[in-house]
Amino acid sequence: MEILHVSAECYPVAKAGGLGDVVGALPKYQNQFGHLAKVVMPMYQTKFLYENNFDTTHKGSFWMGPRFFDYTIIKETTNKLGFDLYLVDINGLLDREQVYGYDDDSERFTAFQIAVVDWLSKWNHQPDIVHVHDHQAGLIPFMMQHCYAYQHLAAIPTVLTIHNAQYQGWMSWDKSNYLPSFNSWEWGKLDWQNNINPLASAVKCALQVTTVSMSYLEEMRENANGLENLFEYEKGKCTGILNGIDDAVWDPAVDTYISPNFSVANLADGKLQSKKVLCSLFNLDIYKPLIVFIGRLVHEKAADLLPQVIYDAVYHMQGRMNFLILGSGDPSVEYALENMKQPLAGFYNSKIGYNEKLSHQMYAGADFLLMPSRVEPCGLNQMYAMRYGTIPIVRNTGGLRDTVVDYGDPNGYGILFNDATVGDITYSIHRALELYKQTKRLQKIRSAIMQIDNSWEKSAEAYISLYSSLQ
Ligand code: ADP
Ligand code: GLC
């Protein structure tokens, strides 16, 4: 089958979070099963762009409201990612350093989607599936079905994967002229609560909708940032397919970001050496359990609770643990985390920003990874942590619930708590300290979690059988 994935992120080209990891891995695994999966994404000004070679595949142009844009599709020449990678270059709009966060993001991603559909309409054959990811590609099924210039694409089956329903790409109706001329009787397929809602539109128009874990699929009917009813109406075409992890990239035995490398065979020493590296970088104590947080410092991740949790844990548990945080996001959380460095020196440290290498060093060197997320559609961090022998402390929600079993349960290996509150989180930290004291049990759990199979094979196959059902 030929599959075209459309996404705003794809690792290692450009990544802001787990969407990038998934779109950088899933097509590679689909190709290993003998399919032809391709990725198209915006051309940002990234290191990957400058360090690799590209050929021009197509040039075109379109109107977006009153503005006229030329676009160019370029293709990476070596297929080094394990799939064909196409980038959409739109001068002045997409070619920026960051993926998101600009005032004109609506214009940027609408233009990206028009360019993709326009390019697709010029292919001399049609792919078997167009697989769109999140709201930044959410208008594509509508455009393929209801924009006059592209209706000849209407028969191509479309699949939407929702990585996060919190973000929906809302646009006011006065931007409806951004879209290529469409059948206005169909306006309801763009609308949700009097706005153009690209994610809702994709849920309505795509032939199938998937989300990245079973539990999140159920939760969305009760908590989906205003789309709850839509998921209830459309439950018949929604499926949960748990993400995998790319175990070629996330493997402590060969990971080039960490030193020394280690595996189950030398795990005790490997983790100790990795912890030493981290502790010396951040002035922490290697003899204390090290609890880390890696991620976007946003409300969904309950990052706002971290400062209080860390203060409470350090003071009420007599500083028996160390904390290290890596992340960026909400400026007030960043500020609070920075300001704690001085008073909690020796117990806590943080690095504000995005740092791929440090994240790998932290998965390797930590004892525990904390994820108190209020919403977590799948979560990859907990799976990466386990692959590096780091025990996850996670809230019992979404994909965290589907991938972590509490150590109090039969064959359990992690720590689960129910509420995103300072009390519940600090109690879980207390449980982590208790587990840390039981050296033998700790080693056994570390060895077990490193061997859990969270690889992509199963999930890549699940997507393929979903596509087959649409042919
Ligand atoms: P989300 O996509 O909601 O942010 P996931 O758990 O699915 O959450 O994926 C997060 C990904 O982003 C992981 O690969 C994680 O290591 C990475 N990541 C998040 N924040 C940072 C950061 N500040 N520096 C490096 N990597 C980060
Ligand atoms: C989203 C979700 C995260 C998920 C990732 C990849 O960003 O927040 O839970 O793991 O997408 O699907």
Side-chain angles (χ1 to χ4, degrees), residues 9 17-22 134 161-164 167 212 243 296 300-301 371 375-383 399:
E9 299 178 36
L19 169 65
D21 287 349
V22 170
D134 275 355
T161 292
I162 299 175
H163 297 264
N164 198 331
Y167 306 98
V212 290
N243 287 332
R296 295 180 293 118
E300 288 162 68
K301 303 281 179 191
M371 288 181 82
V375 180
E376 196 60 79
C378 177
L380 299 169
N381 298 17
Q382 78 281 13
M383 296 195 260

Side-chain angles (χ1 to χ4, degrees), residues 269-313:
D269 188 54
K271 286 216 54 93
L272 182 65
Q273 299 308 326
S274 304
K275 187 172 176 183
K276 271 190 187 155
V277 173
L278 267 189
C279 290
S280 72
L281 279 174
F282 289 97
N283 182 31
L284 298 170
D285 179 349
I286 56 158
Y287 297 105
K288 290 182 179 170
L290 175 60
I291 302 170
V292 302
F293 173 96
I294 300 165
R296 295 180 293 118
L297 301 174
V298 296
H299 185 258
E300 288 162 68
K301 303 281 179 191
D304 49 304
L305 301 180
L306 291 172
Q308 193 62 47
V309 163
I310 294 169
Y311 269 114
D312 280 14

Side-chain angles (χ1 to χ4, degrees), residues 130 132 137-147 153-160 179 182-183 186-191 197-209 230 234 237-238 470:
V130 172
V132 301
L139 294 169
I140 287 180
F142 179 88
M143 287 195 233
M144 290 167 62
Q145 289 157 22
H146 305 299
C147 289
L153 303 173
I156 304 175
T158 49
V159 172
L160 162 72
L179 290 174
F182 60 91
N183 177 354
E186 302 290 352
W187 71 274
K189 290 188 179 148
L190 290 171
D191 183 80
N197 185 318
L199 189 72
S201 170
V203 173
K204 294 175 188 183
C205 297
L207 223 47
Q208 282 289 317
V209 177
L230 180 63
E234 297 287 7
K237 65 172 175 185
C238 297
L470 305 178

Side-chain angles (χ1 to χ4, degrees), residues 66-353:
R67 297 169 71 188
F68 184 77
F69 290 100
D70 288 316
Y71 73 89
T72 306
I73 308 281
I74 58 174
K75 177 174 183 269
E76 193 273 323
T77 50
T78 63
N79 203 296
K80 69 195 289 189
L81 302 182
F83 50 82
D84 292 344
L85 170 74
Y86 297 89
L87 306 182
V88 181
D89 179 15
I90 304 179
N91 210 317
L93 209 54
L94 295 177
D95 52 350
R96 315 233 177 115
E97 281 178 16
Q98 303 297 321
V99 177
Y100 314 113
Y102 299 99
D103 289 343
D104 59 352
D105 277 354
S106 292
E107 286 79 0
R108 296 174 70 227
F109 289 108
T110 306
F112 163 63
Q113 296 175 81
I114 299 172
V116 170
V117 177
D118 191 72
W119 168 53
L120 188 57
S121 75
K122 308 288 182 329
W123 287 24
N124 49 21
H125 71 288
Q126 294 192 331
D128 297 297
I129 295 285
V130 172
H131 188 153
V132 301
H133 296 265
D134 275 355
H135 74 81
Q136 298 87 357
L139 294 169
I140 287 180
F142 179 88
M143 287 195 233
M144 290 167 62
Q145 289 157 22
H146 305 299
C147 289
Y148 296 117
Y150 304 124
Q151 276 176 318
H152 60 286
L153 303 173
I156 304 175
T158 49
V159 172
L160 162 72
T161 292
I162 299 175
H163 297 264
N164 198 331
Q166 295 298 109
Y167 306 98
Q168 300 166 8
W170 313 268
M171 291 197 285
S172 58
W173 268 101
D174 57 19
K175 292 187 175 171
S176 62
N177 66 334
Y178 285 5
L179 290 174
S181 169
F182 60 91
N183 177 354
S184 53
W185 289 102
E186 302 290 352
W187 71 274
K189 290 188 179 148
L190 290 171
D191 183 80
W192 192 255
Q193 291 167 345
N194 303 322
N195 278 309
I196 296 179
N197 185 318
L199 189 72
S201 170
V203 173
K204 294 175 188 183
C205 297
L207 223 47
Q208 282 289 317
V209 177
T210 72
T211 187
V212 290
S213 72
M214 287 304 297
S215 289
Y216 186 57
L217 179 66
E218 283 162 30
E219 288 169 15
M220 282 196 311
R221 279 185 242 147
E222 272 150 32
N223 177 15
N225 208 3
L227 297 187
E228 298 77 9
N229 286 341
L230 180 63
F231 289 116
E232 182 58 37
Y233 307 146
E234 297 287 7
K235 62 181 177 226
K237 65 172 175 185
C238 297
T239 323
I241 301 179
L242 192 68
N243 287 332
I245 62 172
D246 190 339
D247 50 14
V249 174
W250 298 93
D251 180 356
V254 295
D255 188 334
T256 50
Y257 286 131
I258 64 167
S259 170
N261 289 111
F262 63 94
S263 65
V264 179
N266 63 340
L267 115 85
D269 188 54
K271 286 216 54 93
L272 182 65
Q273 299 308 326
S274 304
K275 187 172 176 183
K276 271 190 187 155
V277 173
L278 267 189
C279 290
S280 72
L281 279 174
F282 289 97
N283 182 31
L284 298 170
D285 179 349
I286 56 158
Y287 297 105
K288 290 182 179 170
L290 175 60
I291 302 170
V292 302
F293 173 96
I294 300 165
R296 295 180 293 118
L297 301 174
V298 296
H299 185 258
E300 288 162 68
K301 303 281 179 191
D304 49 304
L305 301 180
L306 291 172
Q308 193 62 47
V309 163
I310 294 169
Y311 269 114
D312 280 14
V314 170
Y315 285 114
H316 296 307
M317 292 178 238
Q318 295 82 41
R320 285 187 285 135
M321 78 302 280
N322 278 176
F323 289 96
L324 179 61
I325 311 279
L326 167 64
S328 60
D330 183 342
S332 65
V333 178
E334 290 184 357
Y335 182 77
L337 290 171
E338 276 290 304
N339 276 331
M340 292 159 56
K341 280 183 172 173
Q342 178 78 28
L344 295 184
F347 297 102
Y348 156 80
N349 213 332
S350 62
K351 181 89 188 159
I352 301 300

